[in-house]
Amino acid sequence: MKISLARFSALALAASVLAATALASSAHAQESDGIVVYNAQHESLGREWIDAFTKQTGIKVTMRQGSDMQFANQIVQEGDASPADVFLTENSPAMALVDSAGLFAPVDKETLDLVPAQYRPADGMWTGIAARSTVFVYDKTKLTEDKLPKSMLDLADPAWKGRWGASPAGADFQAIVGALLQLKGEEATVQWLKAMKENATPYKGNSIAMKAVNAGEVEGALIYHYYWFGDQAKTGENSKNVGLHYFKNQDPGAFVSVSGGGILKSTQHMKEAQAFLKFVAGKAGQDILKNGTSYEYAVSGQSNDKLVPLADLNAPKVEASELDSKKVVELMTAAGLI
C-alpha cells in the first residue's frame, strides 16, 4: 500500500505527539509517587533533609535546586499549575512574595506549634525552618575590637569609605536591607544605601567578600555568620585572618534572617507535603542543623554548639512576613547597587 508524503508526515507527527504525551504522563506518574520540593536552601542541606525524610517515611522526594527569588517568581508565574508541593528558602522575603500571591496552604498546627512565634509569620501560611545571623567579618591584622563599628549604620560614615564590602546583588544582603527598611524607614534606608554606594566594595557572593577581608582587600564585610564557621570547619584558609563582630543591641546589623518552608495550595499530595515540612521543622530535621556542617541556626531545637546562642544575639524584632523585597530592589536599584 502506498502512502503519500503528506499522509506519512501527518502520521509521523501524530506518533511523536503520542510519544511526548506518554513521556509526560510517565514523568507525572513518577512524580505522583512522591513530592516535588523547590529547594532554595543550600543544596547539601536540602539533600540531607530529603534523604533523612525518605529513609524515615519511605516517601519519595524530587528536589529541584534554585535560588530564593528565582523560585518565588517562578511559583507566582506557575500559579495553580506549579508542579511544586513544597518550597524551602534561605531568606523569608521569597516566602512573603508567594504568600502575598495567595499560593500557600495553611501549615498544620502541629508543625506551627514546634516553632517559636518569632520565627514564623502570624498568618500560619509558612514557617521558619532555620536562621542565620548578620555579622561584620573583619581583618584581625588591621582592626581591633575598639575600632569596629558600633552599629551597621556607622558603615555609612565617610571614614569607612573603601574599607568594607558586601554582596549587594544577593538575596542574603537584600534581606538585611529589608530589615533596615522595616526598622528605620525608607528615608534612613535610602541615605544608608547612598552611603554604601560610596563606601563599599561590591562582591559576588558572601564567601568571596569574606575571602577579600582575609586577603586584606578590605578591612571588613557585612555577611551571614555561617560562611566563617563553614570555612573554619574545613581548612580555614579563607578565614584565618578574619574575626566575627556581632552588633547585638537590637541593631539592624544584628538582624536574624529566617529561612522558610511552605506548602503550595495546589499540591495533589497534601498529606505527604505536610509530613515533610513537619519533619524539617521537627526534632529530626533540626538535629541535622545541630549536628551537620551547614552551621545555620535551628529554630525549634538546639543549634550547633560552636554558634553563639540565638538568645544571646539580641537581634531586633523584625516581622519576617513583612520584609518588602520589591521595595528593597527598587531602592537598591535607585542607589546604583544592583
Side-chain angles (χ1 to χ4, degrees):
M1 180 174 62
K2 294 183 179 180
I3 301 177
S4 69
L5 180 60
R7 171 73 170 160
F8 179 81
S9 299
L11 288 172
L13 177 60
S16 65
V17 170
L18 286 171
T21 303
L23 285 171
S25 298
S26 174
H28 178 74
Q30 289 176 359
E31 288 187 357
S32 69
D33 292 337
I35 59 173
V36 174
V37 173
Y38 279 8
N39 182 52
Q41 250 292 351
H42 292 173
E43 186 171 0
S44 57
L45 176 57
R47 179 53 60 195
E48 283 187 271
W49 275 330
I50 286 169
D51 289 347
F53 172 73
T54 298
K55 183 177 180 180
Q56 178 176 301
T57 65
I59 297 172
K60 177 185 173 183
V61 180
T62 299
M63 185 176 81
R64 299 184 182 175
Q65 189 65 30
S67 63
D68 277 5
M69 297 312 295
Q70 169 202 340
F71 270 145
N73 286 304
Q74 182 176 327
I75 289 169
V76 171
Q77 289 296 318
E78 291 170 342
D80 291 339
S82 178
D85 299 292
V86 178
F87 180 33
L88 303 181
T89 65
E90 289 188 332
N91 299 283
S92 55
M95 305 302 293
L97 179 61
V98 176
D99 192 8
S100 66
L103 296 174
F104 280 139
V107 176
D108 283 350
K109 185 177 184 302
E110 285 186 4
T111 302
L112 294 175
D113 288 345
L114 295 170
V115 182
Q118 66 265 37
Y119 302 122
R120 53 181 169 83
D123 67 5
M125 301 303 284
W126 57 273
T127 185
I129 55 173
R132 57 274 301 276
S133 173
T134 309
V135 294
F136 186 72
V137 290
Y138 64 96
D139 185 341
K140 294 184 295 184
T141 70
K142 295 180 179 178
L143 292 176
T144 53
E145 289 189 10
D146 60 307
K147 294 180 179 179
L148 295 172
K150 298 293 188 295
S151 166
M152 186 181 90
L153 301 179
D154 293 347
L155 295 171
D157 192 298
W160 279 97
K161 184 177 177 65
R163 298 172 59 197
W164 69 283
S167 178
D172 287 355
F173 190 82
Q174 290 172 23
I176 295 171
V177 176
L180 175 62
L181 177 62
Q182 188 178 131
L183 292 164
K184 298 297 183 180
E186 184 172 340
E187 183 177 351
T189 302
V190 167
Q191 293 306 312
W192 190 83
L193 291 174
K194 286 182 179 178
M196 179 183 171
K197 174 64 176 177
E198 292 296 317
N199 291 353
T201 300
Y203 293 97
K204 194 172 182 179
N206 285 316
S207 59
I208 296 175
M210 184 179 71
K211 288 179 184 179
V213 175
N214 189 64
E217 291 180 22
V218 287
E219 294 176 34
L222 204 59
I223 65 172
Y224 283 151
H225 76 280
Y226 59 87
Y227 290 94
W228 185 88
F229 284 96
D231 189 70
Q232 286 284 300
K234 296 174 183 176
T235 63
E237 63 181 323
N238 298 311
S239 59
K240 61 184 178 181
N241 298 323
V242 177
L244 285 185
H245 175 51
Y246 294 86
F247 289 104
K248 300 186 176 182
N249 302 312
Q250 298 184 35
D251 189 80
F255 166 61
V256 170
S257 182
V258 176
S259 301
I263 297 165
L264 280 298
K265 70 178 184 181
S266 57
T267 179
Q268 300 298 306
H269 313 99
M270 184 62 72
K271 182 179 178 181
E272 294 84 354
Q274 292 281 2
F276 176 74
L277 192 56
K278 184 179 181 181
F279 174 89
V280 171
K283 186 179 187 308
Q286 297 295 288
D287 278 353
I288 288 173
L289 294 173
K290 175 187 174 184
N291 302 318
T293 57
S294 70
Y295 295 101
E296 295 189 50
Y297 283 99
V299 293
S300 63
Q302 186 177 347
S303 298
N304 190 293
D305 291 339
K306 293 182 180 180
L307 303 182
V308 176
L310 272 173
D312 294 348
L313 295 177
N314 197 14
K317 293 182 179 179
V318 173
E319 177 50 56
S321 64
E322 295 178 7
L323 292 174
D324 192 343
S325 59
K326 290 184 178 179
K327 188 66 176 179
V328 165
V329 169
E330 175 187 319
L331 296 179
M332 293 185 70
T333 301
L337 290 165
I338 56 177

